[in-house]
């Protein structure tokens, strides 16, 4: 009996041996139902993106036309809101200060798109002098060059199959890559309190899926003269096609919704 008691006391005093954890064994773990961002391909996961034009105090207070920049985030389930960190940045280059002041929205420009995590170029949008919806000598040509996926560089002309258009007075539309973008005639859509919707149609399949929406402006947006966009990608969109839709929002901002500053 004494021997049994001493054995129990030894068992009680012996330190417990911890079972090896997955982390201790060198196995990477993550909480259940949590998606991890693939930084090498930030557009792979999002079903849509939220685009915000960068605020410029020189534009708001001095009336100077500065080079546009846009921050692109994953679209939040709450309409009109963003989620998480910035994924892609778009920066206007190639336009001189004098050209921006004299020509405003009609200026020629280049906008470079790159991932924020590793500064990887994914696309370049170019617009000539003028506006894409005009006709004759005022018509601006526009192109998109993408550099994503295994296909290397892809070149697209931005088309205007609907002829002469007038924002606020006629339906608006254009084509980029695989998609046709079409919006209704809407005067309210070109006012600060209104939103404007481009419906997206796949030119290859004829399926209408996705949208590009210019959102209503808040007080700060009106003061800084900036726009915000909400993009819903087609359900089966590739990264290449998602870049095309982002370029569509940039194209529509420069050609249809760019607000004149106090310089012209």
């Amino acid at each position: 009996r004494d021997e049994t008691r001493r054995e129990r006391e030894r068992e009680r005093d012996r330190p417990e041996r911890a079972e090896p954890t997955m982390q201790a064994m060198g196995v990477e773990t993550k909480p259940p139902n949590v998606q991890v961002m693939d930084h090498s391909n930030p557009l792979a996961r999002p079903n849509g993106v939220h685009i915000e034009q960068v605020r410029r105090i020189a534009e708001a207070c001095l009336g100077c036309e500065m080079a546009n920049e846009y921050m692109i985030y994953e679209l939040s389930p709450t309409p009109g809101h963003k989620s998480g960190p910035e994924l892609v940045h778009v920066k206007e280059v190639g336009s001189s200060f004098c050209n921006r002041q004299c020509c405003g929205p009609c200026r020629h420009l280049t906008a470079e798109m790159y991932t924020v995590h590793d500064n990887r170029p994914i696309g370049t949008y170019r617009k000539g002098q003028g506006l894409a919806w005009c006709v004759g000598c005022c018509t601006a040509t526009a192109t998109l060059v993408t550099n994503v996926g295994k296909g290397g560089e892809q070149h697209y002309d931005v088309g205007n199959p609907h002829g002469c258009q007038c924002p606020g007075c006629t339906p608006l539309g254009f084509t980029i890559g695989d998609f046709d973008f079409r919006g209704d005639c809407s005067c309210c859509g070109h006012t600060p309190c209104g939103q404007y919707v481009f419906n997206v149609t796949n030119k290859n399949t004829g399926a209408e899926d996705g949208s590009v929406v210019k959102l209503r402006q808040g007080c700060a947006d009106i003061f800084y003269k900036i726009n915000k966009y909400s993009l819903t990608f087609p359900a089966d969109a590739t990264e290449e096609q998602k870049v095309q839709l982002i370029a569509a929002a940039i194209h529509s901002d420069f050609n249809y919704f760019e607000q004149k500053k106090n310089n012209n």
Side-chain angles (χ1 to χ4, degrees), residues 37 45 72-76 81-87:
M37 174 64 68
R45 185 184 74 178
I72 301 177
Y73 304 84
E74 183 172 3
L75 186 63
S76 169
H81 291 77
K82 59 189 178 184
S83 175
E86 184 182 3
L87 304 179

Side-chain angles (χ1 to χ4, degrees), residues 65 124 149 156 174 180 190 247:
E65 181 71 68
T124 301
Y156 305 101
F174 57 93
D180 182 273
H190 293 268

Side-chain angles (χ1 to χ4, degrees), residues 45-173:
R45 185 184 74 178
N47 297 318
V49 293
H50 175 86
I51 301 178
E52 290 187 3
Q53 188 175 348
V54 175
R55 296 174 178 177
R56 302 290 194 190
I57 193 66
E59 291 188 336
C61 296
L62 302 179
C64 295
E65 181 71 68
M66 307 300 292
N68 286 11
E69 292 189 44
Y70 304 86
M71 301 175 292
I72 301 177
Y73 304 84
E74 183 172 3
L75 186 63
S76 169
T78 304
H81 291 77
K82 59 189 178 184
S83 175
E86 184 182 3
L87 304 179
V88 174
H89 197 83
V90 180
K91 185 175 183 179
E92 176 187 349
V93 297
S95 61
S96 67
F97 181 82
C98 291
N99 188 34
R100 290 196 301 270
Q101 310 319 306
C102 295
C103 300
C106 294
R107 66 190 182 273
H108 65 81
L109 58 92
T110 298
E112 297 180 345
M113 296 179 276
Y114 56 90
T115 59
V116 172
H117 175 71
D118 55 4
N119 291 326
R120 176 171 59 92
I122 59 174
T124 301
Y125 168 84
R126 292 185 175 90
K127 182 180 83 71
Q129 197 79 5
L131 293 169
W133 53 267
C134 291
V135 294
C137 61
C138 297
T139 303
T141 59
T143 60
L144 170 67
V145 178
T146 62
N147 188 20
V148 295
K150 299 179 180 179
E153 286 191 355
Q154 302 293 323
H155 296 250
Y156 305 101
D157 290 327
V158 180
N160 179 16
H162 308 293
C164 183
Q165 306 167 53
C166 181
C169 300
T170 67
L172 304 178

